[in-house]
Amino acid sequence: MTGTADFQVVWNDCLNYVKQRIPAQTFDTWFLPIQALSMTPESLFLQVPNKFFYEWIDGHYRDVLEKALKYVTGNGLLIKYSVLITDSYSKDNQKPSTATENDIITDRLPRTGMIERGTKINEKYIFDSFVEGSGNQFAKAAAVAVANAPGKTSFNPLVIYGGTGLGKTHLLQAIGNEALSTGRAKRVAYVSSDSFTLDFIAATQKNKTTEFSKYYRSVDMLLLDDVQFFQKKEQTQEQFFHIFNDLYQHRRQIVLTTDRPPMELRGLQERLLSRFQSSLTVDIQPPDLETRIAILQKKAEDDKLDIPYEVIEYIATNIRSNIRELEGAMIRLLAHSSLLSVDIDLPLVQKVIKEIMGTRTTSSISIENIQSVVGAFFKINLDSMVGNGRTKEVAEARMVAMCFARDYTNLSLKTIGLYFGGRDHSTVVHACKWVENRTKNDPEYSTKIAEMKKKIVSLV
Ligand code: ADP
Ligand code: MG
């Protein structure tokens, strides 16, 4: 393959290679929208609809693409590839535009200061791209403090814990990125406990444990992700314990993440646990609705995507479990929109969310059911609930019913507002917040809420 005009042939051959190795639907979704733009002796330039797309492809299919290129071009001439990103997402933008230096994301090179061992830090994971909300504020503040003065605060080690997809890895790597970019740490090792364990086993087999341990003892900052994977790995824990002590004594910063509070990390040596417990432990709670909306808005803004507010709100209202799923929903939406060449609007997002939910929550709970259960409980009728009455019972019943409507139906906040006498979506947001606060601070109230919920669910 010599002339640059052959890039279409190369790309088509690559597509054939990939097609045989991944599911048809995946291929259609992710590979059909890609266009080959040009080729140089080093690189094949591809155009994708948006940055999300690029990240998804790069994160999931880079290997297969590289293999395809190697296979097709034989001598490995073209094992590097780049992706062109258009300015903004638009279906009019189908024609390949000319690549400029800034448009092209080239292979990510390891940052200066990063060392071979361990895993590369993702440069996207910085504090600026981490949206703050009530659930993660404290964790972020601690992370920033540690990044600004590694080893010098009393937060050593810092332990961040929280459920899956809530931003632990993001925060952990942001600490590394920040400390490296300000020069406050020169050698940063980021590694998941899994990789640490595998690396240790490999080192043992090759009689290279001294090197292994020397390496980890030489860093300014050790960022260890998902410590729960250390459970029952006695030898690795032993090794880590010594590394930990050594780093600690030399006032090097250690940051750990786990998916549960340190006290609940069964299968970890007592002495290791007691080290963790003497540390600062911060948790990350699931994001509330406003934070979910803010996260999606930030992602859309960062990637120059023009997504209507109601679409963002719809995603944030329906996907609540974690941020990774939120992002996944957005990516799927973009993929659909680019593949079908249709605008991103409410009907499209409803379709996509329905697909994601699958059979998960095809809720048949209606807003009328909710209103009648809550009404009966507070002894008020439907007219009062949707009317203008402001007595304590009426106002409370309305807020509770609105909150349930958000939790149990797939209706957007705007629509819920309409069901309650044409109220604004912000009234619904306020109502949910009020109920959440009240339940948090008042166990008796929380029991009442639980009873109502039980009743509602039993009606289905
Ligand atoms: P965890 O390690 O807790 O499972 P991650 O750090 O991998 O979660 O986060 C999952 C995804 O959600 C990542 O893409 C991350 O960038 C994003 N994310 C998490 N929290 C936030 C936040 N507060 N603001 C913006 N993006 C976030
Ligand atoms: Mg993680």
Side-chain angles (χ1 to χ4, degrees), residues 342-362:
V342 294
D343 284 335
I344 295 181
D345 56 10
L346 208 50
L348 182 71
V349 71
Q350 283 166 342
K351 183 170 163 251
V352 168
I353 297 285
K354 214 166 173 182
E355 266 177 35
I356 294 175
M357 297 294 193
T359 49
R360 224 196 303 170
T361 57
T362 26

Side-chain angles (χ1 to χ4, degrees), residues 356-376:
I356 294 175
M357 297 294 193
T359 49
R360 224 196 303 170
T361 57
T362 26
S363 150
S364 50
I365 296 175
S366 71
I367 208 154
E368 288 82 6
N369 280 347
I370 292 172
Q371 286 173 334
S372 79
V373 169
V374 177

